């Protein structure tokens, strides 16, 4: 099975979006404690509990960044115009 996201794609969240920066095929030996912590997990076991989907034949490392929501003109707080 291939990834269901693409590099450069933006995907909505409750607030804002995430944009995919890269997709890389990796193997189990590449899943290190350092990678798990960099990904926001306590360790490899915590990462695998969340990340395993389907048969687990392919492993993809998907890097992305958060894109905050755009402010809507005329709504919310406004700054004084000079």
């Amino acid at each position: 099975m291939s990834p269901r996201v693409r590099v450069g794609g933006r995907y909505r969240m409750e607030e804002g979006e995430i944009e995919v920066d890269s997709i890389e095929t990796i193997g189990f030996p590449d899943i290190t404690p350092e990678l798990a912590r960099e990904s926001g997990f306590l360790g490899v076991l915590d990462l695998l509990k969340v990340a395993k989907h389907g048969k687990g034949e392919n492993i993809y490392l998907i890097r992305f960044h958060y894109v905050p929501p755009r402010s809507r003109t005329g709504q919310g707080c406004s700054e004084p115009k000079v």
Side-chain angles (χ1 to χ4, degrees), residues 37-58:
R37 285 191 298 273
E38 176 187 331
S39 301
F41 296 92
L42 295 175
V44 173
L45 291 178
D46 288 329
L47 181 150
L48 292 176
K49 285 178 190 175
V50 173
K52 186 168 181 171
H53 301 283
K55 297 177 184 176
E57 296 172 355
N58 301 314

